[in-house]
Amino acid sequence: MPDLHVDRESLDGTDTATLPRLPAFEAFLRFGTRLPQMTKWQSAVANWAGRPELGDRTPASVVAAAASLPEPGAAWLATPVHLVAGLDHVRLHPAGLLRLEPDVAERLAIDFARTFGEDGLALHPVGGGFLLSGLPPLDARTEVPARLLGSNLRQAPPTGPDAHRLRRLATEIEMWLHGLAESGSAMPGRAPNALWLWGGGRSQGSAIESVPGQSCYGALFADDAVAAALWQLG
């Protein structure tokens, strides 16, 4: 479990006796093997897929290369999320990572093109979320949204010289989604009120290409777009 995330802010001062039991997690701890050195899960999957050089590439560039998008180094993952506003902060809902049905994602991508297409931006449905293309290479970094479930987003602002451009676009996307909701363009289930932009950044190294003809002695069961892309590229 190299990517186990704990919201320490919400646990500080909590009486551990009041916390619920987690039987499935306890089973993992009981039957798991402790490794001497933990690694990023992306690096582990890249090794299994026979593409260890992709372990340190940006997640968005890996997904974009697998989807054969032009200029994958400028792509960003855009995960549908549900944010909750408080009096003085905004949190990512504890169940706020949303997976869209293919028809819903396609409708949003089409409407996004109407609104942002003149700026060269486009959403490409992948794995229940999107890839965002059309931005120039940005020197910015954002946190993986799965690590922020239930958290105050003030703790994880975008960083880097171009972070302000990413924040501005994210705000414009929130306004677009709010307009869709106000217009009655209802979606089934909890509708996303934001797209969390992450996994992008300046291009790293040469272009990513598929390696055909490799022998694979395993199967990957995952609905994660990054994991599936690594396996596909291998």
Short mmCIF file of all heavy atoms in Angstrom, two decimals, residues 57-76 131-133 199-203 206-209:
data_model
loop_
_atom_site.label_atom_id
_atom_site.label_comp_id
_atom_site.label_asym_id
_atom_site.label_seq_id
_atom_site.Cartn_x
_atom_site.Cartn_y
_atom_site.Cartn_z
N ARG A 57 7.57 9.89 -15.25
CA ARG A 57 6.93 10.84 -16.15
C ARG A 57 5.64 11.34 -15.53
O ARG A 57 5.04 10.67 -14.66
CB ARG A 57 6.63 10.17 -17.51
CG ARG A 57 7.86 9.64 -18.21
CD ARG A 57 8.83 10.74 -18.60
NE ARG A 57 8.36 11.51 -19.73
CZ ARG A 57 8.74 11.28 -20.99
NH1 ARG A 57 9.60 10.32 -21.28
NH2 ARG A 57 8.27 12.03 -21.97
N THR A 58 5.18 12.51 -15.95
CA THR A 58 3.95 13.02 -15.36
C THR A 58 2.79 12.10 -15.71
O THR A 58 2.72 11.58 -16.84
CB THR A 58 3.64 14.44 -15.87
OG1 THR A 58 3.46 14.41 -17.29
CG2 THR A 58 4.74 15.40 -15.50
N PRO A 59 1.86 11.85 -14.78
CA PRO A 59 0.74 10.96 -15.06
C PRO A 59 -0.05 11.37 -16.30
O PRO A 59 -0.46 10.53 -17.11
CB PRO A 59 -0.11 11.05 -13.79
CG PRO A 59 0.86 11.40 -12.72
CD PRO A 59 1.86 12.30 -13.37
N ALA A 60 -0.27 12.68 -16.47
CA ALA A 60 -1.06 13.14 -17.61
C ALA A 60 -0.37 12.83 -18.93
O ALA A 60 -1.02 12.47 -19.91
CB ALA A 60 -1.34 14.63 -17.49
N SER A 61 0.97 12.97 -18.98
CA SER A 61 1.68 12.69 -20.23
C SER A 61 1.60 11.21 -20.58
O SER A 61 1.52 10.84 -21.76
CB SER A 61 3.14 13.13 -20.12
OG SER A 61 3.86 12.34 -19.19
N VAL A 62 1.58 10.34 -19.57
CA VAL A 62 1.45 8.90 -19.81
C VAL A 62 0.07 8.58 -20.38
O VAL A 62 -0.06 7.85 -21.37
CB VAL A 62 1.71 8.11 -18.51
CG1 VAL A 62 1.36 6.64 -18.69
CG2 VAL A 62 3.17 8.26 -18.08
N VAL A 63 -0.98 9.14 -19.77
CA VAL A 63 -2.34 8.88 -20.24
C VAL A 63 -2.53 9.46 -21.64
O VAL A 63 -3.14 8.84 -22.51
CB VAL A 63 -3.38 9.47 -19.26
CG1 VAL A 63 -4.80 9.28 -19.79
CG2 VAL A 63 -3.24 8.81 -17.89
N ALA A 64 -1.98 10.65 -21.89
CA ALA A 64 -2.13 11.29 -23.19
C ALA A 64 -1.42 10.48 -24.27
O ALA A 64 -1.92 10.34 -25.40
CB ALA A 64 -1.58 12.71 -23.14
N ALA A 65 -0.24 9.94 -23.95
CA ALA A 65 0.48 9.13 -24.93
C ALA A 65 -0.29 7.86 -25.27
O ALA A 65 -0.37 7.46 -26.43
CB ALA A 65 1.87 8.78 -24.39
N ALA A 66 -0.88 7.23 -24.26
CA ALA A 66 -1.67 6.02 -24.51
C ALA A 66 -2.91 6.33 -25.35
O ALA A 66 -3.36 5.49 -26.13
CB ALA A 66 -2.07 5.37 -23.19
N ALA A 67 -3.45 7.55 -25.21
CA ALA A 67 -4.63 7.96 -25.98
C ALA A 67 -4.26 8.57 -27.33
O ALA A 67 -5.14 9.03 -28.05
CB ALA A 67 -5.45 8.96 -25.17
N SER A 68 -2.94 8.59 -27.64
CA SER A 68 -2.44 9.13 -28.91
C SER A 68 -2.82 10.59 -29.10
O SER A 68 -3.11 11.03 -30.22
CB SER A 68 -2.96 8.30 -30.10
OG SER A 68 -2.53 6.96 -30.00
N LEU A 69 -2.81 11.36 -28.02
CA LEU A 69 -3.06 12.79 -28.11
C LEU A 69 -1.81 13.51 -28.58
O LEU A 69 -0.70 13.13 -28.18
CB LEU A 69 -3.48 13.38 -26.76
CG LEU A 69 -4.97 13.67 -26.56
CD1 LEU A 69 -5.74 12.38 -26.61
CD2 LEU A 69 -5.19 14.38 -25.24
N PRO A 70 -1.96 14.53 -29.42
CA PRO A 70 -0.78 15.32 -29.79
C PRO A 70 -0.29 16.11 -28.59
O PRO A 70 -1.06 16.48 -27.70
CB PRO A 70 -1.31 16.25 -30.89
CG PRO A 70 -2.78 16.34 -30.64
CD PRO A 70 -3.19 15.00 -30.08
N GLU A 71 1.01 16.36 -28.55
CA GLU A 71 1.64 17.13 -27.48
C GLU A 71 1.23 16.63 -26.10
O GLU A 71 0.69 17.37 -25.27
CB GLU A 71 1.31 18.62 -27.59
CG GLU A 71 1.78 19.26 -28.89
CD GLU A 71 1.54 20.75 -28.91
OE1 GLU A 71 1.64 21.38 -27.84
OE2 GLU A 71 1.22 21.27 -29.98
N PRO A 72 1.51 15.36 -25.80
CA PRO A 72 1.10 14.83 -24.49
C PRO A 72 1.77 15.52 -23.32
O PRO A 72 1.23 15.53 -22.21
CB PRO A 72 1.52 13.35 -24.57
CG PRO A 72 2.58 13.31 -25.62
CD PRO A 72 2.22 14.37 -26.61
N GLY A 73 2.94 16.15 -23.55
CA GLY A 73 3.63 16.81 -22.44
C GLY A 73 2.91 18.02 -21.90
O GLY A 73 3.23 18.51 -20.82
N ALA A 74 1.92 18.55 -22.66
CA ALA A 74 1.18 19.73 -22.20
C ALA A 74 -0.19 19.36 -21.62
O ALA A 74 -0.97 20.24 -21.30
CB ALA A 74 1.00 20.72 -23.35
N ALA A 75 -0.48 18.07 -21.50
CA ALA A 75 -1.79 17.63 -21.02
C ALA A 75 -1.86 17.65 -19.50
O ALA A 75 -0.85 17.56 -18.81
CB ALA A 75 -2.09 16.23 -21.54
N TRP A 76 -3.09 17.77 -19.01
CA TRP A 76 -3.37 17.69 -17.57
C TRP A 76 -4.54 16.74 -17.36
O TRP A 76 -5.48 16.71 -18.17
CB TRP A 76 -3.72 19.07 -17.00
CG TRP A 76 -2.56 19.99 -16.93
CD1 TRP A 76 -2.01 20.70 -17.96
CD2 TRP A 76 -1.77 20.28 -15.78
NE1 TRP A 76 -0.93 21.42 -17.53
CE2 TRP A 76 -0.76 21.19 -16.18
CE3 TRP A 76 -1.82 19.88 -14.45
CZ2 TRP A 76 0.20 21.70 -15.31
CZ3 TRP A 76 -0.87 20.38 -13.57
CH2 TRP A 76 0.12 21.27 -13.99
N LEU A 131 -8.91 14.13 -19.81
CA LEU A 131 -7.63 14.76 -20.08
C LEU A 131 -7.92 16.15 -20.63
O LEU A 131 -8.80 16.30 -21.47
CB LEU A 131 -6.83 13.98 -21.11
CG LEU A 131 -5.82 12.94 -20.62
CD1 LEU A 131 -5.29 12.17 -21.82
CD2 LEU A 131 -4.69 13.58 -19.85
N LEU A 132 -7.20 17.14 -20.17
CA LEU A 132 -7.33 18.49 -20.68
C LEU A 132 -6.14 18.77 -21.59
O LEU A 132 -4.98 18.64 -21.17
CB LEU A 132 -7.35 19.50 -19.53
CG LEU A 132 -7.29 20.98 -19.91
CD1 LEU A 132 -8.55 21.41 -20.64
CD2 LEU A 132 -7.07 21.84 -18.67
N SER A 133 -6.41 19.15 -22.83
CA SER A 133 -5.35 19.49 -23.77
C SER A 133 -5.53 20.93 -24.22
O SER A 133 -6.60 21.53 -24.07
CB SER A 133 -5.37 18.56 -24.98
OG SER A 133 -6.53 18.76 -25.76
N GLY A 199 -1.41 16.28 -12.28
CA GLY A 199 -0.65 15.30 -13.05
C GLY A 199 0.03 15.83 -14.29
O GLY A 199 0.53 15.04 -15.09
N GLY A 200 0.06 17.15 -14.46
CA GLY A 200 0.71 17.73 -15.64
C GLY A 200 1.98 18.45 -15.26
O GLY A 200 2.52 18.29 -14.17
N GLY A 201 2.46 19.27 -16.17
CA GLY A 201 3.67 20.04 -15.94
C GLY A 201 4.51 20.09 -17.19
O GLY A 201 4.09 19.60 -18.25
N ARG A 202 5.67 20.63 -17.06
CA ARG A 202 6.53 20.75 -18.23
C ARG A 202 6.98 19.37 -18.71
O ARG A 202 7.14 18.44 -17.93
CB ARG A 202 7.76 21.61 -17.91
CG ARG A 202 7.40 23.08 -17.70
CD ARG A 202 8.64 23.95 -17.80
NE ARG A 202 8.30 25.36 -17.65
CZ ARG A 202 7.88 26.11 -18.64
NH1 ARG A 202 7.74 25.60 -19.84
NH2 ARG A 202 7.60 27.39 -18.43
N SER A 203 7.16 19.26 -20.03
CA SER A 203 7.52 17.99 -20.66
C SER A 203 8.83 17.46 -20.08
O SER A 203 9.76 18.22 -19.80
CB SER A 203 7.65 18.16 -22.17
OG SER A 203 8.01 16.94 -22.78
N SER A 206 12.08 12.74 -23.89
CA SER A 206 11.60 12.52 -25.25
C SER A 206 10.14 12.09 -25.25
O SER A 206 9.55 11.82 -24.20
CB SER A 206 12.46 11.45 -25.94
OG SER A 206 12.42 10.25 -25.19
N ALA A 207 9.57 12.01 -26.45
CA ALA A 207 8.19 11.60 -26.59
C ALA A 207 8.01 10.16 -26.11
O ALA A 207 8.92 9.33 -26.21
CB ALA A 207 7.74 11.73 -28.05
N ILE A 208 6.82 9.86 -25.59
CA ILE A 208 6.51 8.51 -25.11
C ILE A 208 5.88 7.73 -26.25
O ILE A 208 4.93 8.18 -26.87
CB ILE A 208 5.54 8.57 -23.91
CG1 ILE A 208 6.18 9.36 -22.75
CG2 ILE A 208 5.17 7.17 -23.46
CD1 ILE A 208 5.23 9.59 -21.60
N GLU A 209 6.40 6.56 -26.52
CA GLU A 209 5.88 5.72 -27.59
C GLU A 209 5.52 4.35 -27.05
O GLU A 209 6.09 3.89 -26.05
CB GLU A 209 6.90 5.59 -28.72
CG GLU A 209 7.26 6.92 -29.39
CD GLU A 209 8.29 6.74 -30.48
OE1 GLU A 209 8.78 5.60 -30.64
OE2 GLU A 209 8.61 7.73 -31.16
#
